[in-house]
mmCIF file of all heavy atoms in Angstrom:
data_model
loop_
_atom_site.group_PDB
_atom_site.id
_atom_site.type_symbol
_atom_site.label_atom_id
_atom_site.label_comp_id
_atom_site.label_asym_id
_atom_site.label_seq_id
_atom_site.Cartn_x
_atom_site.Cartn_y
_atom_site.Cartn_z
ATOM 1 N N LYS A 702 8.375 53.939 -38.564
ATOM 2 C CA LYS A 702 7.219 52.987 -38.508
ATOM 3 C C LYS A 702 7.628 51.633 -39.121
ATOM 4 O O LYS A 702 6.818 50.600 -38.923
ATOM 5 C CB LYS A 702 5.988 53.560 -39.284
ATOM 6 C CG LYS A 702 6.322 53.797 -40.762
ATOM 7 C CD LYS A 702 5.126 54.332 -41.376
ATOM 8 C CE LYS A 702 5.411 54.614 -42.880
ATOM 9 N NZ LYS A 702 4.286 55.304 -43.591
ATOM 10 N N TYR A 703 8.800 51.602 -39.712
ATOM 11 C CA TYR A 703 9.261 50.280 -40.296
ATOM 12 C C TYR A 703 9.897 49.356 -39.329
ATOM 13 O O TYR A 703 10.198 48.221 -39.648
ATOM 14 C CB TYR A 703 10.207 50.603 -41.439
ATOM 15 C CG TYR A 703 9.573 51.443 -42.564
ATOM 16 C CD1 TYR A 703 9.911 52.763 -42.718
ATOM 17 C CD2 TYR A 703 8.564 50.892 -43.398
ATOM 18 C CE1 TYR A 703 9.269 53.622 -43.636
ATOM 19 C CE2 TYR A 703 7.957 51.625 -44.337
ATOM 20 C CZ TYR A 703 8.341 53.068 -44.425
ATOM 21 O OH TYR A 703 7.680 53.826 -45.425
ATOM 22 N N GLN A 704 10.063 49.734 -38.066
ATOM 23 C CA GLN A 704 10.731 48.911 -37.071
ATOM 24 C C GLN A 704 9.772 47.836 -36.636
ATOM 25 O O GLN A 704 10.290 46.852 -36.044
ATOM 26 C CB GLN A 704 11.064 49.874 -35.863
ATOM 27 C CG GLN A 704 9.938 50.475 -35.094
ATOM 28 C CD GLN A 704 10.396 51.325 -34.059
ATOM 29 O OE1 GLN A 704 11.127 50.966 -33.131
ATOM 30 N NE2 GLN A 704 10.007 52.645 -34.132
ATOM 31 N N PHE A 705 8.505 47.914 -36.763
ATOM 32 C CA PHE A 705 7.600 46.960 -36.238
ATOM 33 C C PHE A 705 7.305 45.893 -37.318
ATOM 34 O O PHE A 705 6.980 46.183 -38.464
ATOM 35 C CB PHE A 705 6.259 47.692 -35.889
ATOM 36 C CG PHE A 705 6.408 48.728 -34.795
ATOM 37 C CD1 PHE A 705 6.221 50.042 -35.182
ATOM 38 C CD2 PHE A 705 6.771 48.417 -33.588
ATOM 39 C CE1 PHE A 705 6.435 51.010 -34.279
ATOM 40 C CE2 PHE A 705 6.944 49.354 -32.618
ATOM 41 C CZ PHE A 705 6.770 50.674 -32.985
ATOM 42 N N PRO A 706 7.251 44.618 -36.957
ATOM 43 C CA PRO A 706 6.986 43.512 -37.916
ATOM 44 C C PRO A 706 5.573 43.599 -38.265
ATOM 45 O O PRO A 706 4.665 44.078 -37.597
ATOM 46 C CB PRO A 706 7.276 42.240 -37.086
ATOM 47 C CG PRO A 706 7.367 42.661 -35.737
ATOM 48 C CD PRO A 706 7.610 44.164 -35.616
ATOM 49 N N ALA A 707 5.309 43.131 -39.444
ATOM 50 C CA ALA A 707 3.914 43.214 -39.997
ATOM 51 C C ALA A 707 2.826 42.467 -39.158
ATOM 52 O O ALA A 707 1.718 42.929 -39.129
ATOM 53 C CB ALA A 707 3.921 42.668 -41.467
ATOM 54 N N ASN A 708 3.349 41.501 -38.472
ATOM 55 C CA ASN A 708 2.397 40.729 -37.659
ATOM 56 C C ASN A 708 2.122 41.370 -36.203
ATOM 57 O O ASN A 708 1.453 40.855 -35.390
ATOM 58 C CB ASN A 708 2.865 39.292 -37.473
ATOM 59 C CG ASN A 708 4.117 39.198 -36.725
ATOM 60 O OD1 ASN A 708 4.724 40.055 -36.243
ATOM 61 N ND2 ASN A 708 4.701 37.913 -36.765
ATOM 62 N N ASN A 709 2.857 42.517 -35.930
ATOM 63 C CA ASN A 709 2.856 43.217 -34.692
ATOM 64 C C ASN A 709 3.276 42.434 -33.472
ATOM 65 O O ASN A 709 2.843 42.653 -32.387
ATOM 66 C CB ASN A 709 1.330 43.808 -34.473
ATOM 67 C CG ASN A 709 1.065 44.922 -35.335
ATOM 68 O OD1 ASN A 709 1.867 45.719 -35.544
ATOM 69 N ND2 ASN A 709 -0.111 44.979 -35.887
ATOM 70 N N MET A 710 4.112 41.474 -33.665
ATOM 71 C CA MET A 710 4.695 40.681 -32.662
ATOM 72 C C MET A 710 6.076 41.318 -32.215
ATOM 73 O O MET A 710 7.101 40.973 -32.641
ATOM 74 C CB MET A 710 4.900 39.211 -33.074
ATOM 75 C CG MET A 710 3.664 38.496 -33.491
ATOM 76 S SD MET A 710 2.445 38.322 -32.250
ATOM 77 C CE MET A 710 1.192 37.565 -33.029
ATOM 78 N N PHE A 711 5.971 42.243 -31.271
ATOM 79 C CA PHE A 711 7.182 42.880 -30.748
ATOM 80 C C PHE A 711 7.115 43.154 -29.235
ATOM 81 O O PHE A 711 6.054 42.958 -28.687
ATOM 82 C CB PHE A 711 7.384 44.240 -31.587
ATOM 83 C CG PHE A 711 6.219 45.221 -31.408
ATOM 84 C CD1 PHE A 711 6.165 46.155 -30.401
ATOM 85 C CD2 PHE A 711 5.185 45.256 -32.361
ATOM 86 C CE1 PHE A 711 5.149 47.049 -30.306
ATOM 87 C CE2 PHE A 711 4.170 46.143 -32.264
ATOM 88 C CZ PHE A 711 4.076 47.083 -31.258
ATOM 89 N N ALA A 712 8.172 43.586 -28.735
ATOM 90 C CA ALA A 712 8.321 43.757 -27.249
ATOM 91 C C ALA A 712 9.203 44.876 -26.907
ATOM 92 O O ALA A 712 10.169 45.237 -27.554
ATOM 93 C CB ALA A 712 8.694 42.415 -26.696
ATOM 94 N N ALA A 713 9.007 45.310 -25.582
ATOM 95 C CA ALA A 713 9.990 46.175 -24.790
ATOM 96 C C ALA A 713 10.552 45.308 -23.754
ATOM 97 O O ALA A 713 9.789 44.412 -23.207
ATOM 98 C CB ALA A 713 9.391 47.443 -24.286
ATOM 99 N N VAL A 714 11.758 45.478 -23.308
ATOM 100 C CA VAL A 714 12.368 44.642 -22.280
ATOM 101 C C VAL A 714 12.778 45.471 -21.063
ATOM 102 O O VAL A 714 13.057 46.744 -21.160
ATOM 103 C CB VAL A 714 13.525 43.758 -22.913
ATOM 104 C CG1 VAL A 714 13.056 42.837 -23.795
ATOM 105 C CG2 VAL A 714 14.678 44.659 -23.422
ATOM 106 N N SER A 715 12.906 44.833 -20.026
ATOM 107 C CA SER A 715 13.347 45.511 -18.644
ATOM 108 C C SER A 715 14.817 45.800 -18.757
ATOM 109 O O SER A 715 15.551 45.287 -19.713
ATOM 110 C CB SER A 715 13.054 44.662 -17.615
ATOM 111 O OG SER A 715 13.907 43.414 -17.608
ATOM 112 N N ARG A 716 15.350 46.645 -17.911
ATOM 113 C CA ARG A 716 16.739 47.066 -17.870
ATOM 114 C C ARG A 716 17.594 45.838 -17.899
ATOM 115 O O ARG A 716 18.735 45.814 -18.500
ATOM 116 C CB ARG A 716 16.882 47.970 -16.740
ATOM 117 C CG ARG A 716 18.342 48.525 -16.687
ATOM 118 C CD ARG A 716 18.509 49.620 -15.583
ATOM 119 N NE ARG A 716 17.743 50.867 -16.059
ATOM 120 C CZ ARG A 716 17.587 51.843 -15.405
ATOM 121 N NH1 ARG A 716 17.803 51.906 -14.037
ATOM 122 N NH2 ARG A 716 16.844 52.929 -15.831
ATOM 123 N N SER A 717 17.290 44.758 -17.094
ATOM 124 C CA SER A 717 18.126 43.626 -16.990
ATOM 125 C C SER A 717 18.291 42.909 -18.305
ATOM 126 O O SER A 717 19.325 42.237 -18.440
ATOM 127 C CB SER A 717 17.570 42.630 -15.972
ATOM 128 O OG SER A 717 16.295 42.075 -16.355
ATOM 129 N N LEU A 718 17.372 42.947 -19.247
ATOM 130 C CA LEU A 718 17.518 42.369 -20.477
ATOM 131 C C LEU A 718 17.912 43.302 -21.583
ATOM 132 O O LEU A 718 18.277 42.912 -22.671
ATOM 133 C CB LEU A 718 16.124 41.669 -20.957
ATOM 134 C CG LEU A 718 15.626 40.523 -20.077
ATOM 135 C CD1 LEU A 718 14.252 40.175 -20.520
ATOM 136 C CD2 LEU A 718 16.570 39.379 -20.151
ATOM 137 N N TRP A 719 17.893 44.586 -21.369
ATOM 138 C CA TRP A 719 18.144 45.635 -22.279
ATOM 139 C C TRP A 719 19.591 45.533 -22.822
ATOM 140 O O TRP A 719 19.851 45.823 -23.971
ATOM 141 C CB TRP A 719 17.925 47.009 -21.709
ATOM 142 C CG TRP A 719 18.085 48.104 -22.599
ATOM 143 C CD1 TRP A 719 18.963 49.147 -22.287
ATOM 144 C CD2 TRP A 719 17.471 48.549 -23.857
ATOM 145 N NE1 TRP A 719 18.997 50.097 -23.300
ATOM 146 C CE2 TRP A 719 18.065 49.683 -24.251
ATOM 147 C CE3 TRP A 719 16.582 47.893 -24.630
ATOM 148 C CZ2 TRP A 719 17.757 50.198 -25.542
ATOM 149 C CZ3 TRP A 719 16.201 48.410 -25.812
ATOM 150 C CH2 TRP A 719 16.655 49.544 -26.269
ATOM 151 N N ASP A 720 20.554 45.242 -21.886
ATOM 152 C CA ASP A 720 21.925 45.054 -22.268
ATOM 153 C C ASP A 720 22.560 46.271 -23.039
ATOM 154 O O ASP A 720 23.224 46.097 -24.110
ATOM 155 C CB ASP A 720 22.085 43.782 -23.105
ATOM 156 C CG ASP A 720 23.537 43.212 -23.196
ATOM 157 O OD1 ASP A 720 24.297 43.634 -22.364
ATOM 158 O OD2 ASP A 720 23.719 42.415 -24.085
ATOM 159 N N ASN A 721 22.290 47.524 -22.443
ATOM 160 C CA ASN A 721 22.884 48.681 -23.042
ATOM 161 C C ASN A 721 22.436 48.997 -24.505
ATOM 162 O O ASN A 721 23.192 49.410 -25.274
ATOM 163 C CB ASN A 721 24.326 48.891 -22.895
ATOM 164 C CG ASN A 721 24.691 49.082 -21.401
ATOM 165 O OD1 ASN A 721 23.980 49.745 -20.677
ATOM 166 N ND2 ASN A 721 25.760 48.445 -20.930
ATOM 167 N N GLY A 722 21.274 48.422 -24.892
ATOM 168 C CA GLY A 722 20.828 48.609 -26.274
ATOM 169 C C GLY A 722 21.219 47.420 -27.163
ATOM 170 O O GLY A 722 20.539 47.350 -28.310
ATOM 171 N N ALA A 723 21.918 46.560 -26.691
ATOM 172 C CA ALA A 723 22.214 45.318 -27.533
ATOM 173 C C ALA A 723 21.136 44.447 -27.775
ATOM 174 O O ALA A 723 21.031 43.595 -28.648
ATOM 175 C CB ALA A 723 23.329 44.487 -26.952
ATOM 176 N N ALA A 724 20.032 44.597 -27.023
ATOM 177 C CA ALA A 724 18.721 43.851 -27.197
ATOM 178 C C ALA A 724 17.955 44.293 -28.384
ATOM 179 O O ALA A 724 17.086 43.489 -28.819
ATOM 180 C CB ALA A 724 17.834 43.943 -25.927
#
Side-chain angles (χ1 to χ4, degrees):
K702 63 181 177 181
Y703 301 107
Q704 66 186 300
F705 303 108
N708 63 5
N709 287 318
M710 302 297 180
F711 59 89
V714 295
S715 65
R716 187 171 284 167
S717 63
L718 296 173
W719 180 241
D720 198 16
N721 291 321

